[in-house]
Amino acid sequence: MSYRFEDVASVKADLEKVDYLSDEGIAGVVYLADRLQKPILVEGPAGTGKTELAKSVAKICNARLIRLQCYEGLDEAKALYEWNYKKQLLRIQTERGDDHDWADISDDIFSDEFLLTRPLLEAITADEPVVLLIDEVDRVEVETEALLLEILSDYQVSIPELGTIEAKQIPLVFLTSNNTRELSEALKRRCLYLHVDYPDIDREKQIVLTKVPDITENLADQVARVVRSIRQIELKKHPSVSETLDWAKTLVLLGVEKIDEKTATDTINILLKYQSDITKAVKELSTADGVTV
C-alpha cells in the first residue's frame, strides 16, 4: 500500500508550500489519518481554518476536493444519491407498448444509468485521488448523521436496488464542526479528533505575512496583537482568521503603517459584525496595549 506522506515533517512542509501554516499537532493528525485510513473530525471555533485545511491537503495531494456542505434538512437524496425519476418514467412509458414484463423494466430503471450521484457516493466511486470534505457536520440532524457511519467506517455505500458499492480508493475525509451541537459517539469513534483553535500571536502574524501582499512585518505584528486583544473580550462572535486577513488587507489599502485608536475604530467593522460587539470592543481597545493611543 502506498501512502501520501512520508512523515509528519513533510506534511507540515508541504502545507506551508500552499500557504497553510500548520503546527506539529495538525500535521501529525493528517499524517496519521493517511496511515490509519481514518477520517479526521476537526472541531473548533468558526473561522479558524478547518475548511482551509481540507482544501490545502487536497492541493498537496493533487487530489480532487469533493465537498458536502451540511445544513439542517440535508437528506439522503442530496448527500448520497437519488434515482432520476423523470428518466425512469420516460423509460417505463417507452417500453409500455413493447413485450417487456415488469421484472425486466425494474432491472433496467434501477441501474447506474438512472442513478444520480451526490457528493458522498461521488467520493466513493471516484477513480482519481479524492479529499472528501463534509463541512459543518454539526448542522445536520442525528438521523442524517447516521448516513455517514457506513462510509466513515468501511468506505462503502449500500443501495438496496444495487447492493454494496465499495470505494475504488480510500479518500482522505475531513469532517468539520463548529460545536453547535454534540455529535454522536458512533461518529466520533470512527474518526481521529483534531481541535483547531485561534492561532497564537506569532502564528497569526505569520499567516498575515503569508496571505497579505505588501504588508510590513511591523503592521502584521500590530494586527495580530489587536485581534488577540479583541478575542479576549466577551463578544457574540470573535473575529475569525479570514476576518483578520480582510482587516489587514484593508489597512494596507488605506496606507496605514501604525494602528491608532481612530484607525481601529474606523475599520473595526471589518473584524466584527455585531454592533454590540463593535461598541464593546471600541471601548476596550481604547486602553488596550495592542493599540497605540
Side-chain angles (χ1 to χ4, degrees):
M1 177 179 293
S2 62
Y3 297 107
R4 298 172 178 86
F5 309 113
E6 187 176 335
D7 51 33
V8 175
S10 69
V11 177
K12 191 169 183 287
D14 288 347
L15 285 171
E16 191 168 343
K17 289 176 186 173
V18 294
D19 293 342
Y20 188 95
L21 302 182
S22 66
D23 54 25
E24 295 293 329
I26 293 173
V29 172
V30 172
Y31 170 77
L32 287 175
D34 180 40
R35 294 289 167 141
L36 300 176
Q37 298 187 341
K38 300 269 285 185
I40 304 175
L41 172 60
V42 193
E43 284 192 331
T48 50
K50 302 185 294 297
T51 301
E52 196 60 33
L53 174 61
K55 292 179 178 177
S56 299
V57 170
K59 284 182 185 174
I60 65 176
C61 295
N62 292 317
R64 177 185 170 201
L65 179 73
I66 296 179
R67 179 174 184 168
L68 174 64
Q69 181 62 54
C70 297
Y71 54 87
E72 190 175 350
L74 180 71
D75 59 11
E76 184 180 63
K78 298 299 182 188
L80 196 53
Y81 74 93
E82 67 178 326
W83 293 104
N84 189 336
Y85 297 116
K86 291 182 178 177
K87 192 173 180 181
Q88 287 176 321
L89 184 59
L90 284 172
R91 179 62 60 87
I92 291 171
Q93 290 174 337
T94 301
E95 297 186 354
R96 180 181 296 168
D98 300 333
D99 187 20
H100 295 292
D101 59 28
W102 172 246
D104 292 337
I105 296 175
S106 178
D107 289 343
D108 183 27
I109 62 175
F110 288 109
S111 61
D112 289 345
E113 181 184 351
F114 298 89
L115 190 65
L116 298 174
T117 59
R118 301 308 184 204
L120 297 179
L121 184 56
E122 204 169 325
I124 290 294
T125 55
D127 292 314
E128 72 274 33
V130 162
V131 169
L132 173 62
L133 168 61
I134 303 173
D135 212 7
E136 299 184 339
V137 67
D138 50 323
R139 290 183 179 274
V140 301
E141 293 83 355
V142 175
E143 294 77 10
T144 307
E145 189 183 308
L147 284 175
L148 303 173
L149 300 182
E150 184 180 15
I151 293 176
L152 298 181
S153 59
D154 300 320
Y155 296 102
Q156 66 180 33
V157 171
S158 296
I159 300 177
E161 297 86 353
L162 298 179
T164 300
I165 299 176
E166 296 181 352
K168 296 179 179 177
Q169 44 81 39
I170 304 299
L172 267 176
V173 183
F174 291 81
L175 301 93
T176 71
S177 167
N178 294 329
N179 284 323
T180 58
R181 72 168 176 85
E182 190 72 23
L183 299 173
S184 72
E185 291 297 325
L187 186 142
K188 287 185 173 180
R189 196 167 54 245
R190 287 162 169 79
C191 302
L192 300 179
Y193 180 76
L194 174 64
H195 182 79
V196 178
D197 210 337
Y198 295 115
D200 59 27
I201 289 179
D202 289 339
R203 187 159 159 253
E204 189 147 32
K205 175 185 170 183
Q206 290 305 315
I207 292 171
V208 171
L209 285 170
T210 301
K211 298 279 190 180
V212 180
D214 302 326
I215 193 167
T216 64
E217 186 164 344
N218 182 40
L219 183 58
D221 184 70
Q222 292 178 65
V223 167
R225 291 181 183 281
V226 172
V227 171
R228 180 72 173 183
S229 299
I230 291 175
R231 289 196 185 121
Q232 291 174 343
I233 305 170
E234 188 174 342
L235 301 173
K236 291 178 72 174
K237 181 187 175 301
H238 290 121
S240 66
V241 174
S242 62
E243 286 162 334
T244 300
L245 295 174
D246 288 343
W247 191 45
K249 290 173 184 173
T250 300
L251 297 176
V252 171
L253 285 172
L254 295 175
V256 173
E257 296 180 355
K258 194 173 186 179
I259 304 173
D260 55 21
E261 182 181 1
K262 183 176 186 312
T263 302
T265 302
D266 289 348
T267 59
I268 202 166
N269 60 314
I270 306 296
L271 281 173
L272 301 174
K273 306 301 165 57
Y274 290 94
Q275 187 55 43
S276 59
D277 287 349
I278 290 174
T279 302
K280 190 181 290 186
V282 168
K283 182 180 178 182
E284 294 287 336
L285 285 175
S286 64
T287 56
D289 293 337
V291 181
T292 303
V293 296

